[in-house]
Amino acid sequence: MALKIYWTKRAEKTFDDVVVYLSKDWSEKVVQNFVRKTNNVIGHISEKPRMFPSSKKIKIHIAVITKHNNLLYKITGTNQIDLLFFWDNRQNPKKLKF
């Protein structure tokens, strides 16, 4: 049974930020590819939420979308996944805030 996916405001904003960046600096095909990969990963998360690794301390999972973008999410109960935010791997990891 697929779990319910909830997009936090931060997830919506960071996703939109990636799409805007790709739209400005890359082609429409790259944008569509990113959106397709994101939807595929979210589908996998919904079906098998523990398939991506998590940190042991804070129980946040990290799913790779592309080599430059990850999606951080948390399993919040027995039937919901909270998408927390998208992270550009080229950023300084010290800026990573939960």
Side-chain angles (χ1 to χ4, degrees):
M1 181 176 113
L3 300 182
K4 181 180 175 186
I5 299 292
Y6 172 76
W7 285 69
T8 63
K9 296 226 182 274
R10 187 173 178 195
E12 290 173 352
K13 183 187 180 327
T14 53
F15 176 79
D16 290 344
D17 290 346
V18 173
V19 170
V20 166
Y21 165 74
L22 293 175
S23 296
K24 288 168 81 175
D25 294 347
W26 297 89
S27 69
E28 182 62 29
K29 183 176 179 182
V30 172
V31 173
Q32 291 173 355
N33 194 30
F34 174 73
V35 171
R36 182 183 49 77
K37 285 181 179 182
T38 299
N39 288 331
N40 285 341
V41 167
I42 291 172
H44 291 305
I45 291 169
S46 176
E47 293 293 327
K48 297 179 183 176
R50 290 182 172 74
M51 77 180 290
F52 294 101
S54 71
S55 71
K56 293 184 179 172
K57 291 182 182 177
I58 54 177
K59 304 286 186 197
I60 291 181
H61 295 260
I62 301 171
V64 176
I65 305 291
T66 68
K67 69 181 181 180
H68 297 296
N69 298 102
N70 289 342
L71 169 59
L72 285 82
Y73 67 96
K74 188 169 189 167
I75 303 168
T76 57
T78 58
N79 65 347
Q80 183 172 315
I81 304 291
D82 288 352
L83 303 182
L84 301 175
F85 59 92
F86 290 80
W87 177 257
D88 185 329
N89 296 321
R90 297 166 287 185
Q91 295 181 70
N92 183 346
K94 291 181 181 179
K95 292 170 60 179
L96 191 58
K97 303 272 192 245
F98 299 100

